[in-house]
């Protein structure tokens, strides 16, 4: 698997990317989850999810958001965002996003919604 490096956050975030960060942040806050995530598909539709931690099922927030997108017919992603306290995006989350679109950027934001970095292929 190719290694992905996180770049520093840009000075200005695209308004469409800011929307998915807000969706991810809202989902995380609403559910009190460890992480919140949102993805935007190539048709501009968005899907949000949080960490799933059941005895029989464990998904990262990004895996859950990607699963929601795929189950709704998305064939590709434009971008993804995860709101987390972690210093990086885990490999399983990156893999889920890049299974659909290898070049989709992944924004990592903190609980305040401030983008700390962008992971790209």
């Amino acid at each position: 698997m190719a290694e992905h490096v996180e770049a520093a956050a840009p000075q200005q975030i695209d308004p469409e990317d800011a929307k998915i960060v807000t969706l991810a942040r809202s989902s995380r806050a609403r559910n009190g989850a460890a992480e919140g995530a949102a993805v935007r598909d190539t048709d501009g539709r968005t899907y949000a999810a949080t960490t799933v931690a059941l005895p029989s099922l464990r998904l990262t927030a990004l895996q859950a958001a990607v699963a929601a997108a795929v189950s709704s017919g998305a064939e590709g992603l434009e971008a993804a965002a995860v709101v987390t306290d972690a210093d990086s995006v885990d490999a399983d989350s990156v893999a889920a996003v890049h299974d659909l679109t290898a070049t989709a950027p992944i924004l990592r934001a903190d609980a305040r919604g401030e983008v700390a970095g962008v992971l790209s292929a």
Side-chain angles (χ1 to χ4, degrees):
M1 176 155 80
E3 185 174 323
H4 302 279
V5 178
E6 183 176 280
Q11 292 290 333
Q12 290 282 73
I13 301 296
D14 178 271
E16 292 300 314
D17 290 345
K19 286 180 189 177
I20 60 172
V21 170
T22 299
L23 283 171
R25 184 174 178 236
S26 298
S27 294
R28 180 183 188 229
R30 180 177 52 251
N31 291 344
E35 293 183 341
V39 297
R40 183 177 61 252
D41 72 12
T42 53
D43 291 328
R45 296 175 297 187
T46 57
Y47 308 87
T50 60
T51 307
V52 176
L54 299 172
S56 63
L57 178 64
R58 295 204 171 284
L59 296 173
T60 69
L62 270 175
Q63 287 174 321
V66 169
V70 170
S71 69
S72 294
E75 295 181 2
L77 298 176
E78 289 182 354
V82 62
V83 174
T84 181
D85 293 330
D87 292 334
S88 63
V89 180
D90 66 278
D92 290 337
S93 293
V94 173
V97 170
H98 290 164
D99 278 348
L100 283 184
T101 305
T103 57
I106 302 170
L107 292 85
R108 182 179 57 84
D110 63 20
R112 295 172 305 213
E114 294 180 19
V115 176
V118 180
L119 220 120
S120 55

